[in-house]
Amino acid sequence: MTHAKSKKSLNPSVLAVLVLVVIALVSGGLLAILNDLLFVSEEERTNRSLNKVYASESFTELEIDADYASNADYGEIVYLYEAADGTIIISARGQKGWKGQSQIVMAVSTDGTIVNMIVGDYGGDDKTTSIDADYLKQYTGMQVTADLKFTVSGEAGAVDVSSGASATHTMGSICSAANMAVYYLVNSDVMGGDAQ
Amino acid sequence: MKIKDIALDGVVRQNPVFKLVLGTCPTLAVTVSMSNALGMGLAVIFVLTCSNVLISMLRNIIPDKVRIPAFIMIIATFVTIVMLVLDKFMPDLYDSLGLFLPLIVVNCLILARAEAFASSNGVGYSALDGIFMGCGFTLGLLAMSLVREFLGSGSIFGLKIMEFSIGAFATSAGGFLTFGLLIAAFVAINNKINEKNKHKKHQQIAAVEQEVKDAVAAHENSQAEVK
């Protein structure tokens, strides 16, 4: 009797669940360790964006002027840095977007010219191929002044940056973020009054 | 089973892109640039090889009832590893592959090889199958992206070759057009090679038959002489 009992195999359904649980636990454990080892901190991501948008030996973080840190029409400022040669690196998050708010990083030289702009985060939109380097070139070379405003809706007097295939909402959010950066640079003291 | 057969199946005879038409979603989406295609191809080689090896090792332990969820869990683990590594060391590639990186989990090619090959073959053969199928997939992506990047942007691996470009090749419609043309070219070349091989085989058979006939005739002659 005892011999017969010991020979009894495990219920197939229980065995199936057991195997799945073991695979899930081993996978989960392995990924948890790797995630700890390969974790990319927010600071590292910021450094990557800074180096991508403007080549400089060092960057100094500047304090954001709370009075102009956000705007109901455009969005909000994320961070502000100064490169070794005085170029300002500003990151802003625009309103709306396709799945979320897009974030841009803009480099503005000491004379107030936009020298480069990249997208730091598409806000969950995966149509990144639609918004390539050529699209972002529309923003560069512009002089940051109180009159500078970008538009994707054909607003009179504003710089039209609507050209690009699909990703309309994300382009709108990027445009809004660029306007937020310009708004901050024009109104705060960060450019030493040059932009105004 | 010969290693040569596995290699030829993976790269030519059962090419995942042009013959089996598996993994079409990333094939059309990431082949706008050659560097993206190479990155995606290498990621698939890694995931396919590792998942094939592990599934082959566990093939006698995983109950038949839950094999698909178990395979998916194993594949997803390796895809997550690829994502973590790329995000850490190759952030630009990670950003440009975007959604198509996690979508490797549901790439038909990987699940098909797990189900059709790794779950019924040894570890060594499964590893080779993963490597060669992955190479076939990568070569397919590179062929697609070579045409699309060269004609669509006038560049190869991001290096400008010519000023002239046909923008349509960089769009989805251009992707489908290139895909169709390359499949047609692949099938035509394959058929020609098969016909050549068939002709060669026929010639060999005919030669052997002739040899047999000659031998029989010589034997009959010698028999007649003896009589």
Side-chain angles (χ1 to χ4, degrees):
Chain A
M1 188 73 183
T2 323
H3 183 69
K5 254 186 185 175
S6 67
K7 271 204 162 181
K8 210 175 180 183
S9 60
L10 210 60
N11 184 323
S13 300
V14 175
L15 182 71
V17 171
L18 207 68
V19 168
L20 283 180
V21 168
V22 169
I23 293 174
L25 284 176
V26 173
S27 299
L30 177 72
L31 290 177
I33 294 166
L34 279 174
N35 190 47
D36 268 4
L37 290 173
L38 302 171
F39 179 71
V40 182
S41 65
E42 209 48 52
E43 193 186 344
E44 201 176 333
R45 283 191 200 281
T46 304
N47 279 335
R48 278 180 191 173
S49 296
L50 291 174
N51 286 308
K52 205 171 165 185
V53 77
Y54 194 75
S56 176
E57 282 174 13
S58 62
F59 295 96
T60 315
E61 188 168 9
L62 302 176
E63 203 173 316
I64 298 169
D65 188 340
D67 291 343
Y68 307 105
S70 63
N71 180 296
D73 294 329
Y74 303 140
E76 59 191 357
I77 298 298
V78 181
Y79 58 77
L80 189 65
Y81 280 84
E82 186 179 7
D85 63 357
T87 298
I88 298 295
I89 315 293
I90 185 167
S91 178
R93 197 172 285 128
Q95 294 288 36
K96 294 172 184 171
W98 171 238
K99 289 179 183 170
Q101 293 177 299
S102 300
Q103 187 186 325
I104 58 109
V105 187
M106 184 189 275
V108 182
S109 65
T110 46
D111 66 351
T113 309
I114 299 174
V115 289
N116 196 11
M117 190 175 112
I118 60 164
V119 179
D121 181 9
Y122 287 90
D125 188 355
D126 303 304
K127 296 176 202 158
T128 51
T129 49
S130 303
I131 301 158
D132 55 13
D134 282 340
Y135 171 76
L136 296 172
K137 271 181 192 162
Q138 295 177 103
Y139 292 89
T140 56
M142 297 286 172
Q143 198 71 26
V144 176
T145 60
D147 298 332
L148 180 64
K149 192 179 176 187
F150 298 101
T151 180
V152 287
S153 55
E155 193 182 320
V159 180
D160 183 35
V161 284
S162 59
S163 68
S166 72
T168 313
H169 292 286
T170 305
M171 279 198 300
S173 187
I174 289 170
C175 176
S176 164
N179 283 333
M180 180 64 221
V182 171
Y183 167 82
Y184 182 86
L185 293 171
V186 166
N187 291 293
S188 70
D189 283 336
V190 70
M191 301 287 291
D194 289 351
Q196 292 159 48
Chain B
M1 197 183 305
K2 285 180 187 170
I3 293 172
K4 190 184 162 192
D5 280 335
I6 296 177
L8 278 175
D9 275 351
V11 180
V12 186
R13 290 195 291 235
Q14 300 287 316
N15 186 284
V17 178
F18 300 129
K19 186 83 180 177
L20 302 178
V21 196
L22 291 174
T24 309
C25 180
T27 303
L28 291 168
V30 305
T31 51
V32 179
S33 82
M34 285 192 82
S35 44
N36 279 3
L38 185 64
M40 172 58 82
L42 292 176
V44 168
I45 290 176
F46 173 78
V47 174
L48 193 54
T49 309
C50 294
S51 59
N52 264 12
V53 167
L54 200 63
I55 287 165
S56 176
M57 279 165 74
L58 300 175
R59 68 186 191 279
N60 296 325
I61 300 168
I62 298 171
D64 218 32
K65 247 189 207 173
V66 291
R67 67 185 194 287
I68 299 294
F71 293 168
I72 294 278
M73 247 196 297
I74 290 167
I75 295 165
T77 305
F78 288 113
V79 171
T80 313
I81 291 171
V82 169
M83 286 174 67
L84 288 170
V85 170
L86 285 186
D87 190 21
K88 180 77 178 175
F89 301 108
M90 296 163 120
D92 287 343
L93 182 63
Y94 177 79
D95 285 341
S96 56
L97 290 180
L99 179 71
F100 297 100
L101 211 47
L103 274 180
I104 295 175
V105 176
V106 285
N107 189 319
C108 307
L109 167 65
I110 296 171
L111 200 58
R113 293 325 288 173
E115 176 77 355
F117 197 95
S119 58
S120 54
N121 282 286
V123 176
Y125 285 137
S126 298
L128 286 174
D129 180 72
I131 291 168
F132 287 114
M133 275 285 164
C135 286
F137 184 72
T138 309
L139 289 175
L141 292 191
L142 284 174
M144 280 276 293
S145 58
L146 176 68
V147 175
R148 291 185 72 191
E149 192 180 348
F150 184 66
L151 294 176
S153 325
S155 58
I156 291 174
F157 276 111
L159 294 169
K160 204 85 182 158
I161 304 289
M162 59 176 188
E163 283 308 313
F164 173 74
S165 64
I166 308 164
F169 276 93
T171 63
S172 312
F176 277 104
L177 183 70
T178 313
F179 194 38
L181 290 173
L182 285 180
I183 288 178
F186 184 83
V187 171
I189 293 167
N190 229 8
N191 285 350
K192 212 160 198 183
I193 291 168
N194 284 345
E195 269 176 35
K196 233 181 189 176
N197 287 343
K198 242 184 199 173
H199 186 66
K200 222 177 179 180
K201 247 183 194 168
H202 278 301
Q203 276 182 333
Q204 280 174 344
I205 291 168
V208 170
E209 277 176 354
Q210 191 59 44
E211 268 178 39
V212 172
K213 271 181 193 172
D214 288 348
V216 170
H219 180 71
E220 279 172 357
N221 283 343
S222 64
Q223 288 286 321
E225 274 172 22
V226 169
K227 276 182 185 174

